[in-house]
Amino acid sequence: QLQLNESGPGLVKPSETLSLICTVSGASLSSGPYYWGWFRQSPGKGLEWIGGLYYSGTPYYNPSLKSRVTISADRSKNQLSLTVASVTAADTAVYYCARDLTISGEVFRGYFSPWGQGVLVTVSS
Amino acid sequence: EVVLTQSPATLSLSPGERATLSCRASQSVSNYLAWYQQKPGQAPRLLIFDASKRATDIPARFSGSGSGTDFTLTISSLEPEDFAVYYCQQRSNWPPVTFGQGTRLDIK
């Protein structure tokens, strides 16, 4: 059964870099044709797609965040990583990772299930 | 960017009643729309995709309809566990995807 688990520091100082890990079990990041995404949820902006990575390694980013975001994979550890540079209070949110919906082997691109449980990151000095 | 507008913001109903939630897109998204349920402290859970297809293990009381710019999520008879926040999400011009701001379904 596919499970995703986000982890990382809960508190980051303004102007520093936020770094999170999504550990995947029950599936391989290298197995196609899946897409692995990062999302966040803040009280002010609701749910927001940050970006993600195809199994091939091709990243796609939300244009509004692209200049500050990097998403990559450590295939030896089966982990997806997210870094957000130059954070401000507006980056305070619960961060989630998720995978493409798959039903009976068919991938439904752009819909997401399952999701990890999420990790709260607060940006504050 | 496609903007999704959900209404109402809050809906107060009693168990056993029928719930109707709306999602309107700023431009046509064909049928590329999903609905998620989120309970406090939990991740979103996918209920409906492609506007009307139920995801795995989703009860039949949940149904979706619509195409183009106007969509509806209907819960035919509310169970106590259905009181939550519901979000719509579109993927018509993947990537990106965008979400609505949510409808909170409260117990009356």
Side-chain angles (χ1 to χ4, degrees):
Chain A
Q1 183 181 354
L2 176 63
Q3 291 187 319
L4 301 93
N5 186 38
E6 305 89 346
S7 60
L11 182 64
V12 181
K13 290 183 168 54
S15 79
E16 294 189 345
T17 296
L18 177 165
S19 296
L20 298 175
I21 294 290
C22 173
T23 301
V24 177
S25 59
S28 170
L29 283 176
S30 301
S31 297
Y34 304 117
Y35 173 86
W36 304 84
W38 280 101
F39 302 82
R40 66 183 185 181
Q41 186 172 32
S42 60
K45 291 195 71 175
L47 278 162
E48 181 178 32
W49 173 71
I50 299 171
L53 210 61
Y54 279 104
Y55 72 101
S56 60
T58 304
Y60 285 92
Y61 300 115
N62 187 324
S64 69
L65 296 167
K66 186 175 182 178
S67 63
R68 298 193 295 128
V69 169
T70 303
I71 296 172
S72 61
D74 183 334
R75 300 180 191 282
S76 67
K77 295 180 180 179
N78 218 33
Q79 293 177 334
L80 191 69
S81 69
L82 168 71
T83 62
V84 182
S86 305
V87 297
T88 70
D91 295 307
T92 294
V94 176
Y95 287 76
Y96 296 98
C97 56
R99 196 193 73 176
D100 276 328
L101 172 67
T102 303
I103 297 178
S104 299
E106 182 177 358
V107 175
F108 294 90
R109 190 75 73 214
Y111 303 124
F112 298 94
S113 180
W115 295 55
Q117 85 286 354
V119 60
L120 173 63
V121 178
T122 301
V123 178
S124 175
S125 55
Chain B
E1 174 179 292
V2 177
V3 176
L4 298 177
T5 302
Q6 294 186 239
S7 61
T10 303
L11 184 59
S12 297
L13 294 170
S14 300
E17 290 193 294
R18 181 184 187 90
T20 303
L21 288 66
S22 295
C23 178
R24 176 165 289 180
S26 59
Q27 63 192 73
S28 176
V29 299
S30 184
N31 69 328
Y32 295 125
L33 190 106
W35 291 94
Y36 294 81
Q37 176 193 66
Q38 188 176 34
K39 297 180 180 179
Q42 296 185 16
R45 173 195 181 199
L46 180 68
L47 301 175
I48 301 287
F49 66 99
D50 283 350
S52 61
K53 298 175 182 175
R54 272 191 302 277
T56 304
D57 295 331
I58 301 304
R61 64 180 181 274
F62 291 91
S63 63
S65 63
S67 66
T69 61
D70 290 295
F71 300 86
T72 301
L73 173 69
T74 301
I75 310 171
S76 59
S77 179
L78 285 164
E79 297 287 341
E81 62 268 26
D82 298 336
F83 293 92
V85 180
Y86 292 83
Y87 295 94
C88 56
Q89 175 238 314
Q90 67 81 27
R91 54 128 289 174
S92 68
N93 54 345
W94 163 264
V97 301
T98 54
F99 293 85
Q101 83 281 13
T103 289
R104 180 180 304 278
L105 180 54
D106 285 342
I107 299 178
K108 191 172 183 179

